[in-house]
Amino acid sequence: MTAYASYIIALVAIAFLASAIRILREYQRGVVFTLGRFWKVKGPGFIIIIPVIQQMVRVDLRTIVMDVPTQDVISHDNVSVKVNAVVYFRVVDPEKAIIQVEDFYMATSELAQTTLRSVLGQHELDEMLAERERLNADVQNILDRQTDAWGIKVSNVEIKHVDLDESMVRAIAKQAEAERTRRAKVIHAEGEMQASEKLLQAAKTCLLYTSDAADE
């Protein structure tokens, strides 16, 4: 019985130690709570926590690449477009990321969607298509400011696609064709005007020579 009890105690001790040991990789941190209260951020490497008394939440510090789902946006000139983007962010303060928001990934995703719609809705379609870098910077700056309280750093935002519906594509194609036709007519008219001016100049020169010859 004594040997059996010793065996049980040894197993319990091993299990206790195993549950107390944590290994955190270089890009990980552990947010440790003692009896439900925040204690400290630990890691990377070998750390020990007190089972039952302490709990640890792992946080990944690597850059996260998050796809923003396609959003329906009404531009400032009342054009309906579908826009999607990608956001690059990382956790810079594990304590805030765990304590200040329930799910920092979901919160950042939802904020990115609303910010994308809000920013693009203030611009006309031509700006969305031609000034994408400036719009990327605007969305990134707004996200970075608002996620700072969560310990999140938004490093980059890239708008991937701005898609128009078929009717708008056809309307833009007709507008472009009309513009090309107008320019062709203007160029043709300018050419005829230049030709007329040259003919008039030639006629005046001919009359001048004829007048000089008659005087002689």
Side-chain angles (χ1 to χ4, degrees):
M1 292 295 294
T2 302
Y4 181 75
S6 300
Y7 178 73
I8 296 297
I9 292 173
L11 287 179
V12 171
I14 292 172
F16 183 85
L17 290 174
S19 63
I21 296 173
R22 298 288 189 275
I23 303 295
L24 297 178
R25 296 182 179 180
E26 185 64 34
Y27 54 82
Q28 293 179 322
R29 297 295 183 273
V31 180
V32 181
F33 296 86
T34 300
L35 296 176
R37 296 180 64 86
F38 171 75
W39 180 44
K40 65 168 59 175
V41 176
K42 303 187 71 174
F46 177 86
I47 67 173
I48 296 177
I49 65 171
I50 304 173
V52 181
I53 303 298
Q54 294 181 327
Q55 296 82 36
M56 187 191 75
V57 180
R58 293 176 186 261
V59 179
D60 195 319
L61 303 185
R62 293 177 295 182
T63 297
I64 298 173
V65 182
M66 180 181 66
D67 279 320
V68 180
T70 300
Q71 303 294 304
D72 292 319
V73 178
I74 303 297
S75 67
H76 189 66
D77 50 349
N78 293 321
V79 178
S80 178
V81 297
K82 293 183 180 297
V83 182
N84 63 354
V86 60
V87 177
Y88 299 84
F89 71 95
R90 62 188 179 90
V91 176
V92 294
D93 190 331
E95 177 186 351
K96 289 182 178 179
I98 297 301
I99 295 177
Q100 298 299 326
V101 62
E102 180 181 3
D103 184 336
F104 66 83
Y105 184 92
M106 181 62 67
T108 304
S109 176
E110 293 294 331
L111 183 60
Q113 295 175 45
T114 57
T115 302
L116 187 66
R117 291 195 301 268
S118 176
V119 171
L120 296 188
Q122 300 173 15
H123 296 273
E124 296 184 355
L125 177 62
D126 290 344
E127 293 177 302
M128 294 185 193
L129 299 176
E131 301 182 16
R132 191 169 296 185
E133 290 187 4
R134 180 167 67 87
L135 297 180
N136 289 340
D138 290 345
V139 176
Q140 184 263 328
N141 289 331
I142 294 173
L143 281 176
D144 193 38
R145 288 197 304 270
Q146 296 187 358
T147 58
D148 183 66
W150 305 337
I152 302 296
K153 173 64 179 177
V154 178
S155 58
N156 195 22
V157 174
E158 292 290 340
I159 297 173
K160 295 196 296 184
H161 301 292
V162 178
D163 297 325
L164 306 173
D165 58 33
E166 290 297 327
S167 61
M168 183 56 62
V169 171
R170 289 193 295 269
I172 292 177
K174 289 181 180 179
Q175 181 180 2
E177 180 65 26
E179 179 64 18
R180 287 194 294 269
T181 302
R182 184 189 69 81
R183 290 182 180 179
K185 289 181 178 180
V186 169
I187 293 172
H188 181 70
E190 289 177 350
E192 290 185 345
M193 182 178 295
Q194 292 176 1
S196 299
E197 289 176 352
K198 290 183 178 180
L199 287 173
L200 180 60
Q201 185 178 359
K204 288 181 179 180
T205 302
C206 183
L207 288 174
L208 180 62
Y209 287 154
T210 302
S211 176
D212 290 343
D215 290 340
E216 292 177 357

